Amino acid sequence: MASDREDFTLCGPSHLTNLDWANENHQRCVAACLVQGVYIVERDRQLQREGSQALASPWWDSFHFKLIRRLIDDADFSIFGAIYELKPPPQEDTTTVDSKSPRYVIAFRGTLTKPDSISRDLELDIHIIRNGLHRTSRFDIAMQAVRSMATSVGASNLWLTGHSMGAAMALLAGKTLAKTGVYVKSFLFNPPFVSPPIERISNERVRSGLRIAGSLVTAGLAFSRTLKQAQQPQHQQQQLQERNLSEDPLKALSLWLPDIHVNPGDHLCSEYIGFFEHRGNMEQLGYGAGIVERMAMQHSLGGLLMDAMGVSNAVDVQEPVHVIPSAKLIVNRTASEDYKEAHGIHQWWRDDQDLVSNIYLFK
């Protein structure tokens, strides 16, 4: 049987009767609903719901979008993403609509804990934990679609959005383009931040102390790896240099400002709150502390430890997906009943949430 949460008429944003594309809250609601559309279109496929039984289309039809392409995983053939095109009614003033609205949106779903998709989705979740999402075939498919659309329709006409694992995929795709100077407006809901849940510690001084200690250890290991790489054969040093054509990859990304939506009750994404606050605190401590934090935030402590033990190949190490120099962070301060509610996509189209936003710019 279909869940009530899959039915747009039962749990969709009923308050959004007069869509204003200049309203950031409306933009967020629509982006979240388009992600939900990907979840539901995959459930329609799994449950063989067709015609009047299918539940997915209202999640995009209600906002005058058309689903023009499904993104299908090459391993389990599940639908993990969708490309939508905005098709406003002819009677609407297209000049007003086009001023703030996207022409196209690419959306990615997160993990589905259903028999037809759970195995592949959990495999990809592990790749995120191990910092290897960029090496998966699903990301290759997603990146090809994003790059193709950005090239053909223009980055200014495109939005990226995703939830949970799908947010990680949208974030990595957006970062990849931003490193080349192409910036796509992005709405990222509950993106995973692979780190111990320090944000859940109630004592602020303890949280701050742990983060400072973590930065010092990570920066120290990163510096040691740099010294180790300097002693490697010349051909391996050349490989490393080719991977770091930019002197400061964080600065190259700093002009991209994605909207990152997190909930403190969701331990998978709540570390974004402390991540940005801690970076500002380290910069305030002085130049030296700022350098330490800049080095630390570009590396995964787990990856560095694995490398130090000889488990991983330093040439193939990539900065964590969550490393992003600039962002608009939207925090949902509304109390959640449980983790499932705090992590859910549904909170982001509701109009009764206590949302606090801050812009963090890389300096």
Side-chain angles (χ1 to χ4, degrees):
M1 293 181 61
S3 165
D4 288 348
R5 289 200 163 195
E6 295 178 347
D7 193 328
F8 183 86
T9 60
L10 295 177
C11 74
S14 57
H15 66 282
L16 208 58
T17 55
N18 188 18
L19 182 59
D20 177 8
W21 283 111
N23 186 316
E24 292 184 352
N25 290 323
H26 290 192
Q27 293 178 8
R28 182 192 70 251
C29 289
V30 172
C33 286
L34 294 179
V35 174
Q36 178 72 344
V38 183
Y39 278 109
I40 307 306
V41 78
E42 168 58 13
R43 289 297 289 149
D44 283 347
R45 183 193 72 86
Q46 292 181 4
L47 298 175
Q48 299 182 352
R49 296 187 303 222
E50 300 178 353
S52 61
Q53 300 298 315
L55 297 177
S57 60
W59 291 97
W60 57 80
D61 285 343
S62 302
F63 310 110
H64 310 302
F65 281 93
K66 179 181 179 181
L67 176 59
I68 62 173
R69 180 184 168 191
R70 295 168 174 80
L71 300 178
I72 300 174
D73 190 282
D74 62 345
D76 66 355
F77 304 107
S78 65
I79 301 167
F80 71 88
I83 302 177
Y84 301 99
E85 182 180 8
L86 182 62
K87 292 285 190 179
Q91 67 271 21
E92 289 194 10
D93 183 352
T94 56
T95 302
T96 302
V97 171
D98 291 345
S99 61
K100 292 292 183 180
S101 65
R103 285 179 56 198
Y104 298 89
V105 178
I106 302 180
F108 303 105
R109 67 167 175 83
T111 303
L112 263 176
T113 56
K114 304 298 180 182
D116 288 351
S117 52
I118 187 171
S119 177
R120 174 62 167 165
D121 284 359
L122 289 180
E123 175 190 341
L124 290 160
D125 289 335
I126 292 172
H127 276 291
I128 293 175
I129 295 172
R130 297 181 61 185
N131 238 7
L133 182 62
H134 62 290
R135 294 191 294 268
T136 65
S137 60
R138 180 180 290 189
F139 177 71
D140 285 343
I141 296 169
M143 191 66 238
Q144 289 173 15
V146 171
R147 185 177 284 113
S148 175
M149 290 298 294
T151 300
S152 61
V153 306
S156 61
N157 295 312
L158 181 65
W159 283 5
L160 287 180
T161 185
H163 173 246
S164 191
M165 174 175 63
M169 195 160 295
L171 174 56
L172 185 54
K175 283 178 63 173
T176 302
L177 288 182
K179 288 179 180 179
T180 66
V182 178
Y183 307 106
V184 179
K185 188 173 181 65
S186 302
F187 298 83
L188 312 172
F189 301 106
N190 303 80
F193 190 112
V194 182
S195 168
I198 299 175
E199 188 63 24
R200 297 177 71 84
I201 298 174
S202 58
N203 190 303
E204 184 177 351
R205 294 183 65 181
V206 173
R207 290 201 309 267
S208 179
L210 287 173
R211 289 199 173 98
I212 291 173
S215 293
L216 290 171
V217 171
T218 304
L221 287 171
F223 182 70
S224 297
R225 194 180 74 181
T226 301
L227 293 177
K228 178 182 175 182
Q229 291 171 354
Q231 300 171 359
Q232 291 178 347
Q234 186 173 0
H235 72 280
Q236 291 188 13
Q237 291 188 39
Q238 185 176 357
Q239 284 181 289
L240 292 167
Q241 291 170 359
E242 290 174 354
R243 289 187 68 252
N244 295 282
L245 295 177
S246 171
E247 294 181 2
D248 192 341
L250 293 182
K251 196 165 186 178
L253 286 170
S254 63
L255 295 179
W256 185 48
L257 196 72
D259 287 13
I260 298 179
H261 301 74
V262 302
N263 189 311
D266 177 9
H267 64 270
L268 287 179
C269 69
S270 61
E271 274 304 299
Y272 273 103
I273 302 171
F275 171 76
F276 284 109
E277 290 179 350
H278 170 64
R279 194 180 75 190
N281 293 338
M282 290 291 282
E283 290 174 351
Q284 290 177 6
L285 289 176
Y287 181 71
I291 292 176
V292 167
E293 180 58 20
R294 181 180 295 223
M295 179 174 287
M297 69 181 288
Q298 294 181 66
H299 298 86
S300 162
L301 179 57
L304 289 169
L305 289 172
M306 291 176 65
D307 180 55
M309 294 184 293
V311 177
S312 64
N313 182 357
V315 174
D316 198 33
V317 172
Q318 177 156 312
E319 83 270 6
V321 174
H322 64 251
V323 170
I324 187 74
S326 302
K328 180 178 180 181
L329 186 69
I330 299 94
V331 181
N332 187 356
R333 296 292 182 183
T334 309
S336 302
E337 291 186 3
D338 50 28
Y339 162 75
K340 185 176 180 181
E341 182 177 353
H343 185 68
I345 185 66
H346 302 78
Q347 65 187 297
W348 300 113
W349 62 68
R350 293 175 57 176
D351 64 344
D352 59 350
Q353 306 295 282
D354 179 16
L355 304 181
V356 178
S357 64
N358 285 289
I359 293 177
Y360 296 90
L361 298 175
F362 179 78
K363 298 179 182 179

